[in-house]
């Protein structure tokens, strides 16, 4: 049997993609999930604040996931749990997915289209080359979150957090609520990489200091962490001698960045962006491999799950159309260039013939900005100019492009102007 | 009190190799190890190279043991079911005026009996290794140089020894030795051991043990070396181990593929007083990255996934100290590089000496074969399918980065010398050694350890006592 659409990953992206594929006519859909439940990382995000855009209410992570899981079940979309995809390969009309599980052994599955929705992983200590000893008590923030929220165990009592990404901020509050003392959150950049609301609700409300332009320069302790040294950094992120401060603690949490998990994508030859570490996609969220689409955090790291769901629905819809052979595959793609503080765009190329009447282009900026302009140009022609009171690296931005505006465009440029 | 013919102090690669060689003979053997697992000291943190043997001065024990140890590796790796590859090595020369030193090294190798040596021009070297820098003006090519996993080698030797009757006592440090008649009374915090012979394989502490019984004092100067390990995506940057021509402090910084496909850079060389000092430092790691770039260009240093420090037991006499130092007390002291390469030979030679002294004969039924944990990722799909059909736990992937299944982790826990800790599982299976560095799999491996060993989750340790991962239940639980 050949599936229309195989969705790799049963987190928020995979669920929304599968639902959209179904709505758009795909008959045979299969979701492959490596954990023992659907929902992905949302299952351990028991704080609220999810779904404000989508459902106009504040849900917890598991509640948000449940809305999608319920619909997947209502729609009778099949899924396999505790199933890990070990290989993804091209074949003449689609893809071959090799997966293993305890129940089904080694499976070879064929699909007309595949949606990549594997999510991302946390950068480990080694990626920063933080010097010191290697004792127990060093966790990535997400691992600590799982231990506290899913396993019900406290990883430590006196905590220093490096990195002010959202998970780091959320865990500062979570550990505090569990009775741990969070001594500080150090952030190497001069700004936080997390959402403003998380800085207020997770740090300020609990009196946890946020030390910007600071990093961990030493870890002490033989069996268990006994302390860390934090130092201020200069404009090149180099520690400034003489600014070292010792903190005694038994735990160091790291929230120092997320990396899209694209080992499978790389295996099948998907071209990746060095900026996002995710696939380069077109307006349909299609990769360079025909029939392979990508969405969610495997494509680029999102700030809000609402946007993941929205984006994934597009990928699912386009995968269904591809599987059905409907919609044109013809047309010329124009690259989307970036300028000013815009670091990247998703999609990074657009085919005006294939695009819908309106297309959302998402991007992030590389620095904090006030009252800057977001502009879109087609060649010399300005298509859009919008003033944004505040933009920050931690928050995703978007612009909407109209099909009619791109009809004769040869190049496109999304940029900020100050 | 327990009584054995022979007590081996230390379950590093030398202790385990010696124990395995001793297990060929009649006579009871115990290995006492202060840590919770084998391979917890110098043996676990080094360059993981089986050197060809051109480096040591002719006539030294280092030269002799290295060449013999290297020759033993093909058969040994098959018997122990451990990965070993003769990937070859280059010693690269970066300055024209030092080319004579390269030739000296070549000639020293010939004197040491090393086979497969040749001298290459810079051009020839770059043809074989395109990522060498243009500064490389000549290279010594050693075809017999190899790479190995130090942990799997040590565990393989230990399990083979255990299969052949050697008993291992972990978390049992030797505190002191006392002569009791013709025997040694070995004091540990747990119990005493009585033995006809004691073998000193105590690594950076081997001088302390030696000096308890001998008037001829040894002095270990601990030399620290820092390393960076890069992601597998960088693993093919070089195909061979690239050394720089040795300077005053050892072999300089090497760039080498590892047996598991990562790229290893290091080590630095710094004399330290603290014998447990395994800290990495900002300056040390910087040094590694900078020096590695001298001989090899475009090293993708952004792909570092972890860094670590190893300690070398440098004896001031500058050679291995092997053999009987006091009646019934045998040294394997001062075993620094090329110690890993020499391990099999040191074990062979010491065991023969001890057997002769104790008048032990060869066993009739020594079993040289030991099987490691199967590696499903390296199997063909058909083989893998069969394995999962036989044991469905092989289909349940726990470590996604290295693709390690629950079945492999169970094999590691229930092996001959089973894993008891997170590090124990990691080193036996590679679960947690990948690019996420155990972020995803550690809670799941902890659960499996807790279930299989009937321990509370809060009792699960990273390695030694005191390294428990989680402390207590949360408030609601």
């Amino acid at each position: 049997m050949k599936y229309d659409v195989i969705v790799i990953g049963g987190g928020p992206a995979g669920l929304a993609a599968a639902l959209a594929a179904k709505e758009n006519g795909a008959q045979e859909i299969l979701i492959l999930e490596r954990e023992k439940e659907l929902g992905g990382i949302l299952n351990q995000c028991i704080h609220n604040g999810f779904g404000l855009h989508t459902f106009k209410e504040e849900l917890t992570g598991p509640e948000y996931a449940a809305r999608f899981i319920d619909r997947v079940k209502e729609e009778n979309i099949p899924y396999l749990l505790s199933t890990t995809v070990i290989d993804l390969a091209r074949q003449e009309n689609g893809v071959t997915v090799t997966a293993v599980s305890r129940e089904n052994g080694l499976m070879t599955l064929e699909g007309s289209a595949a949606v990549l929705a594997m999510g991302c992983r946390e950068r480990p200590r080694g990626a920063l080359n933080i010097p010191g000893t290697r004792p127990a008590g060093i966790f990535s923030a997400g691992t600590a979150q799982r231990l506290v929220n899913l396993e019900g165990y406290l990883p430590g009592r006196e905590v220093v957090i490096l990195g002010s990404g959202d998970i780091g901020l959320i865990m500062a509050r979570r550990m505090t609520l569990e009775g741990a003392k969070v001594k500080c959150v150090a952030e190497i950049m001069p700004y936080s990489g997390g959402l403003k609301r998380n800085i207020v609700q997770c740090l300020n409300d609990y009196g946890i200091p946020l030390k910007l332009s600071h990093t961990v320069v030493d870890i002490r302790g033989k069996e268990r962490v006994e302390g860390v040294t934090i130092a201020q950094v200069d404009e090149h992120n180099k520690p400034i001698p003489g600014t070292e401060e010792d903190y005694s603690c038994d735990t160091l949490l790291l929230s120092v960045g997320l990396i899209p998990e694209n080992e499978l994508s790389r295996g099948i030859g998907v071209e990746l962006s060095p900026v996002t570490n995710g696939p380069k996609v077109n307006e349909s969220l299609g990769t360079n491999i025909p029939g392979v689409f990508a969405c969610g955090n495997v494509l680029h790291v999102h700030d809000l799950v609402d946007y993941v769901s929205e984006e994934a629905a597009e990928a699912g819809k386009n995968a269904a159309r591809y599987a059905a052979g409907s919609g044109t595959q013809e047309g010329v793609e124009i690259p989307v260039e970036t300028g000013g503080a815009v670091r990247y765009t998703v999609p990074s190329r657009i085919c005006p013939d294939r695009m819908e009447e309106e297309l959302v282009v998402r991007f992030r900026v590389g620095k904090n900005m006030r009252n800057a302009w977001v502009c879109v140009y087609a060649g010399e022609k300005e298509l859009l100019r919008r003033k944004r009171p505040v933009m920050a690296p931690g928050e995703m931005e978007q612009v909407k492009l109209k099909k009619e505006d791109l009809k004769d465009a040869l190049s496109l440029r999304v940029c900020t102007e100050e | 009190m327990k009584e054995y013919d022979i007590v081996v102090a230390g379950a590093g690669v030398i202790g385990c190799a010696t124990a395995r060689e001793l297990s060929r003979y009649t006579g009871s053997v115990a290995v006492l190890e202060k840590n919770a697992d084998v391979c917890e000291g110098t043996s676990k943190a080094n360059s993981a190279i089986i050197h060809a043997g051109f480096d040591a001065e002719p006539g030294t024990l280092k030269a002799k043991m290295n060449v013999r140890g290297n020759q033993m590796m093909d058969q040994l790796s098959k018997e122990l079911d451990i990965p070993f590859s003769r990937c070859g090595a280059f010693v690269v020369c970066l300055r024209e005026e030092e080319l004579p030193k390269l030739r000296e090294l070549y000639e020293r190798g010939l004197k040491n009996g090393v086979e497969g040596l040749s001298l290459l021009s810079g051009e020839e070297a770059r043809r074989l290794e395109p990522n060498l820098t243009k500064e490389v003006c000549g290279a010594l090519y050693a075809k017999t140089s190899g790479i190995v996993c130090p942990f799997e080698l040590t565990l393989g030797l230990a399990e083979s020894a255990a299969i052949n009757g050697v008993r291992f006592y972990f978390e049992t440090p030797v505190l002191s030795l006392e002569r009791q008649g013709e025997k040694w009374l070995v004091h540990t915090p747990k119990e005493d051991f009585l033995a006809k012979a004691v073998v000193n394989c105590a690594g950076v502490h081997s001088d302390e043990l030696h000096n308890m019984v001998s008037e001829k004092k040894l002095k270990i100067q601990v030399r620290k070396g820092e390393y960076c390990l890069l992601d597998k995506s960088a693993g093919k940057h070089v195909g061979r181990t690239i050394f720089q021509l040795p300077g005053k402090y050892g072999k300089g910084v090497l760039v080498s593929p590892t047996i598991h496909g990562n790229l290893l850079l290091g080590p630095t060389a710094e004399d330290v007083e603290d014998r447990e000092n395994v800290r990495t430092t900002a300056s040390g790691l910087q040094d590694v990255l900078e020096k590695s770039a001298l001989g090899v260009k475009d090293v993708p240093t952004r792909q570092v996934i972890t860094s670590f420090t190893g300690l070398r037991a440098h004896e001031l006499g500058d050679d291995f100290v092997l053999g009987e130092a006091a009646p019934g007390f045998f040294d394997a002291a001062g075993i620094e590089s090329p110690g890993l390469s020499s391990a099999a030979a040191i074990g062979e030679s010491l065991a023969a000496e001890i057997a002769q002294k104790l008048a032990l004969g060869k066993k009739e039924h020594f079993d040289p074969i030991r099987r490691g944990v199967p590696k499903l990722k390296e199997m063909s799909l058909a083989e893998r399918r069969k394995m999962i059909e036989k044991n469905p736990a092989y289909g349940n992937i726990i470590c996604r980065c290295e693709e390690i299944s629950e079945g492999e982790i169970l094999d590691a826990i229930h092996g001959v010398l089973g894993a008891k800790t997170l590090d124990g599982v990691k080193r036996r299976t590679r679960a947690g050694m990948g690019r996420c560095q155990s972020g995803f799999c550690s809670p799941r491996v902890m659960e499996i350890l807790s279930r299989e060993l009937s321990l509370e989750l809060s009792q699960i340790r990273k390695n030694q006592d005191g390294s428990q991962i989680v402390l207590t239940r949360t408030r609601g639980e």
Side-chain angles (χ1 to χ4, degrees):
Chain A
M1 166 179 146
K2 187 166 182 175
Y3 292 94
D4 294 327
V5 180
I6 297 178
V7 180
I8 305 176
L15 293 167
L19 283 165
K22 182 89 182 188
E23 275 162 30
N24 286 276
Q27 296 297 318
E28 303 296 340
I29 303 168
L30 179 65
I31 305 172
L32 299 172
E33 167 55 43
R34 57 190 157 201
E35 293 289 325
K36 51 185 186 235
E37 281 172 80
L38 292 173
I41 209 70
L42 287 174
N43 289 331
Q44 68 182 52
C45 300
I46 63 171
H47 52 282
N48 62 357
F50 296 93
L52 275 169
H53 294 255
T54 315
F55 300 111
K56 310 290 176 229
E57 54 182 316
E58 278 203 71
L59 304 175
T60 64
E63 286 170 339
Y64 185 94
R67 301 231 167 161
F68 288 83
I69 296 170
D70 290 347
R71 283 179 55 207
V72 162
K73 289 181 178 166
E74 278 162 28
E75 297 286 343
N76 289 317
I77 298 174
Y79 54 89
L80 293 175
L81 302 176
S82 301
T83 300
T84 305
V85 175
I86 58 170
D87 188 49
L88 186 61
R90 272 180 95 158
Q91 51 140 298
E92 210 168 313
N93 290 307
V95 295
T96 304
V97 176
T98 311
V100 293
S101 79
R102 181 189 270 279
E103 261 176 62
N104 300 303
L106 190 142
M107 294 167 274
T108 309
L109 307 162
E110 291 186 0
S112 300
V115 178
L116 306 175
M118 293 89 79
C120 59
R121 64 168 176 268
E122 298 179 276
R123 283 176 81 203
R125 169 192 180 178
L128 290 93
N129 240 349
I130 306 171
T133 54
R134 302 198 299 155
I138 305 168
F139 302 88
S140 57
T143 306
Q145 188 180 44
R146 178 179 169 136
L147 289 168
V148 175
N149 291 350
L150 294 185
E151 318 287 339
Y153 280 87
L154 192 64
R157 290 193 183 87
E158 293 193 306
V159 185
V160 168
I161 299 178
L162 175 61
S164 61
D166 287 312
I167 318 170
L169 300 174
I170 295 286
M171 281 312 290
R173 176 174 67 186
R174 190 73 190 97
M175 295 294 285
T176 306
L177 293 175
E178 285 298 336
K181 171 78 187 155
V182 177
K183 299 203 163 173
C184 79
V185 175
E187 168 60 59
I188 193 164
M189 302 306 284
Y191 50 82
S192 163
L195 293 169
K196 181 75 187 160
R197 71 172 198 221
N198 282 335
I199 295 171
V200 174
Q201 293 171 9
C202 300
L203 299 189
N204 300 357
D205 286 359
Y206 297 89
I208 300 168
L210 171 62
K211 295 178 81 81
L212 297 173
S213 298
H214 278 73
T215 192
V216 173
V217 295
D218 192 21
I219 300 172
R220 294 182 300 281
K222 188 162 178 277
E223 276 79 33
R224 179 82 196 187
V225 173
E226 287 166 11
V228 300
T229 304
I230 287 177
Q232 200 181 331
V233 298
D234 62 19
E235 61 272 27
H236 307 296
N237 293 340
K238 293 268 175 257
I240 302 170
T243 63
E244 297 87 357
E245 265 184 286
D246 289 346
Y247 285 78
S248 77
C249 59
D250 59 18
T251 303
L252 173 65
L253 297 190
L254 301 173
S255 174
V256 291
L258 299 168
I259 307 169
E261 287 226 282
N262 277 292
E263 280 63 44
L264 288 172
S265 327
R266 216 174 264 131
I268 196 178
V270 165
E271 194 190 348
L272 302 179
S273 151
V275 182
T276 60
N277 288 309
K280 290 186 179 173
V281 292
N282 61 21
E283 77 299 321
S284 309
L285 302 175
T287 67
N288 59 313
I289 307 294
V292 177
F293 299 80
C295 56
N297 281 351
V298 81
L299 178 55
H300 58 139
V301 175
H302 291 63
D303 53 351
L304 297 180
V305 71
D306 305 75
Y307 300 140
V308 169
S309 304
E310 208 177 288
E311 178 182 273
E314 282 300 305
K317 177 181 79 184
N318 292 320
R321 287 182 184 172
Y322 180 90
S326 63
T328 174
Q329 301 303 318
E330 304 299 308
V332 179
E333 290 179 352
I334 44 176
V336 184
E337 284 155 25
T338 58
V342 175
R343 292 180 55 231
Y344 70 88
T345 63
V346 169
S348 59
R349 42 181 208 275
I350 294 173
C351 171
D353 295 337
R354 288 198 301 258
M355 76 183 267
E356 310 259 338
E357 290 309 316
E358 202 172 64
L359 176 72
V360 176
V361 175
R362 296 192 163 84
F363 64 93
R364 283 190 194 242
V365 293
K367 60 176 185 181
N368 278 313
M369 302 174 98
R370 282 187 182 280
N371 296 319
W373 298 91
V374 173
C375 307
V376 181
Y377 295 94
E380 296 297 304
K381 188 176 146 205
E382 183 181 289
L383 298 183
L384 188 148
R385 168 173 287 266
R386 189 157 53 101
K387 195 166 200 171
R388 294 281 289 140
V390 180
M391 285 190 284
E395 318 214 354
M396 208 149 73
E397 297 290 327
Q398 63 177 52
V399 288
K400 284 183 180 153
L401 302 184
K402 292 197 168 57
K403 186 178 181 115
E404 59 186 35
D405 286 347
L406 301 189
K407 236 183 288 170
D408 305 314
L410 294 172
S411 70
L412 260 180
R413 184 173 144 87
V414 178
C415 58
T416 57
E417 288 175 12
E418 288 176 82
Chain B
M1 190 181 68
K2 291 204 164 65
E3 193 165 350
Y4 286 89
D5 288 321
I6 304 151
V7 159
V8 177
V13 69
I14 302 299
C16 294
T18 306
R20 180 185 190 247
E21 288 301 321
L22 283 169
S23 72
R24 293 178 190 273
Y25 298 91
T26 58
S28 55
V29 183
V31 178
L32 311 187
E33 166 57 46
K34 72 173 170 140
N35 291 306
D37 204 347
V38 300
C39 201
E40 282 284 351
T42 294
S43 306
K44 82 171 174 198
N46 51 68
S47 305
I49 308 289
I50 299 298
H51 294 282
F54 51 77
D55 196 43
E57 285 296 333
T60 58
L61 285 169
K62 281 184 179 176
K64 189 177 150 199
M65 293 297 155
N66 185 351
V67 173
R68 170 72 186 140
N70 180 301
Q71 288 164 354
M72 292 168 75
M73 279 308 294
D74 297 294
Q75 191 188 338
L76 189 64
S77 59
K78 280 195 196 84
E79 289 177 352
L80 301 181
D81 188 26
I82 58 164
F84 168 63
S85 162
R86 291 197 188 274
C87 63
F90 281 1
V91 181
V92 297
C93 178
L94 299 168
R95 275 174 293 273
E96 293 276 347
E97 62 267 29
E98 286 180 353
L99 280 171
K101 276 168 72 183
L102 199 67
R103 174 160 283 278
E104 262 174 51
L105 204 57
Y106 168 73
E107 276 159 13
R108 199 191 299 169
L110 294 184
K111 271 193 203 137
N112 287 346
V114 179
E115 288 171 12
L117 291 179
S118 54
L119 285 167
L120 307 179
S121 69
E123 280 305 298
E124 289 167 329
R126 268 186 295 277
R127 213 170 298 140
L128 292 169
E129 288 290 350
N131 280 327
L132 293 182
T133 57
K134 61 180 190 319
E135 281 72 29
V136 171
C137 55
L140 170 62
Y141 183 14
K143 287 203 175 72
T144 59
S145 184
I147 47 178
V148 72
C149 168
F151 184 82
E152 284 176 275
L153 172 58
T154 307
L155 181 72
L157 290 164
E159 290 197 339
S160 176
I163 289 167
N164 288 290
V166 173
R167 290 289 305 272
F168 282 78
Y169 295 86
F170 293 105
E171 298 181 302
T172 309
V174 173
L175 298 177
S176 61
L177 293 173
E178 205 182 311
R179 197 70 178 147
Q180 204 163 76
E182 293 287 288
K183 293 180 178 175
W184 288 104
L185 186 60
V186 182
H187 297 291
T188 82
K190 289 189 173 163
E191 57 190 326
D192 290 346
F193 292 79
L194 194 64
K196 291 178 193 151
V198 170
V199 195
N200 172 17
C201 304
V204 292
H205 299 286
S206 56
D207 58 343
E208 295 164 17
L209 206 58
H210 169 99
N211 293 343
M212 286 179 197
V213 303
S214 170
E215 284 309 306
K216 209 176 143 210
K217 300 298 177 195
L218 294 181
K219 166 75 178 143
I220 299 284
Q221 172 61 62
V222 175
R223 193 166 280 173
K224 188 177 121 172
E226 302 188 31
Y227 291 88
C228 292
L229 186 74
L230 275 60
D231 187 88
K232 284 183 174 175
S233 60
K236 292 193 168 62
H237 198 71
V238 291
R240 298 168 185 79
T241 304
I242 311 296
F243 299 103
Q244 291 158 10
L245 197 59
K248 189 178 155 208
Y249 279 107
K251 296 189 177 72
V253 168
L254 64 82
V255 177
S256 181
T258 73
I259 193 71
H260 296 295
N262 298 79
L263 193 72
L264 183 67
L265 315 177
T268 55
E270 185 195 346
D271 288 349
V272 290
E273 286 312 308
D274 178 1
R275 294 180 180 213
E276 307 288 326
N277 180 353
V278 287
R279 287 177 63 223
T280 53
T281 60
S283 59
L285 298 176
Q286 188 60 31
D287 204 32
V288 168
L289 297 181
E290 278 169 15
K291 281 191 180 153
S292 64
L294 296 176
V296 179
K297 65 180 181 189
D298 305 329
V299 174
T301 51
R302 286 176 57 89
Q303 302 287 331
V304 172
I305 58 171
T306 188
S307 51
F308 60 88
T309 290
L311 299 176
R312 288 161 261 181
H314 175 69
E315 210 284 316
L316 295 184
D318 208 19
D319 199 2
F320 296 157
V321 180
L322 300 176
E324 194 168 8
F329 182 93
F330 296 83
D331 272 323
I335 312 296
E336 58 176 335
S337 179
L340 188 70
S341 320
S342 305
I346 291 173
E348 180 185 58
S349 137
L350 270 182
E353 188 181 340
I354 294 163
Q356 195 186 13
K357 168 92 181 193
L358 301 188
L360 304 173
K362 287 263 175 127
K363 262 184 207 158
E364 247 178 77
H365 301 292
F366 171 78
D367 179 4
I369 303 300
R370 168 262 180 190
R371 286 278 147 251
V373 174
K375 296 184 167 100
L376 270 81
K377 191 176 167 57
E378 292 172 13
M379 295 178 182
S380 70
L381 289 184
E383 278 178 288
R384 204 159 161 173
R385 186 186 310 253
K386 252 192 231 151
M387 290 290 287
I388 301 173
E389 275 165 18
K390 259 195 287 181
N391 178 3
Y394 289 129
N396 187 22
I397 301 292
I398 301 294
C399 165
R400 60 173 80 162
C401 301
E402 294 291 312
E403 242 172 63
I404 307 300
S405 67
E406 184 178 358
E408 289 157 89
I409 292 168
L410 292 175
D411 289 348
I413 294 171
H414 299 299
V416 177
L417 293 172
K420 300 181 282 287
T421 62
L422 222 47
D423 276 359
V425 169
K426 177 171 95 172
R427 296 192 185 121
R428 282 165 179 81
T429 64
R430 296 188 58 74
M433 278 205 191
R435 39 180 74 93
C436 93
Q437 289 285 296
S438 85
F440 283 117
C441 67
S442 54
R444 301 182 69 185
V445 175
M446 285 163 67
E447 269 176 21
I448 296 172
L449 277 166
S450 146
R451 183 185 74 210
E452 296 300 314
L453 302 177
S454 303
L455 293 169
E456 264 290 303
L457 207 67
S458 54
Q459 292 174 290
I460 303 298
R461 310 185 316 208
K462 182 175 189 292
N463 40 49
Q464 317 311 333
D465 192 24
S467 68
Q468 280 74 356
I469 315 284
V470 292
L471 305 180
T472 54
R473 302 305 304 250
T474 50
R475 289 175 162 179
E477 300 292 329

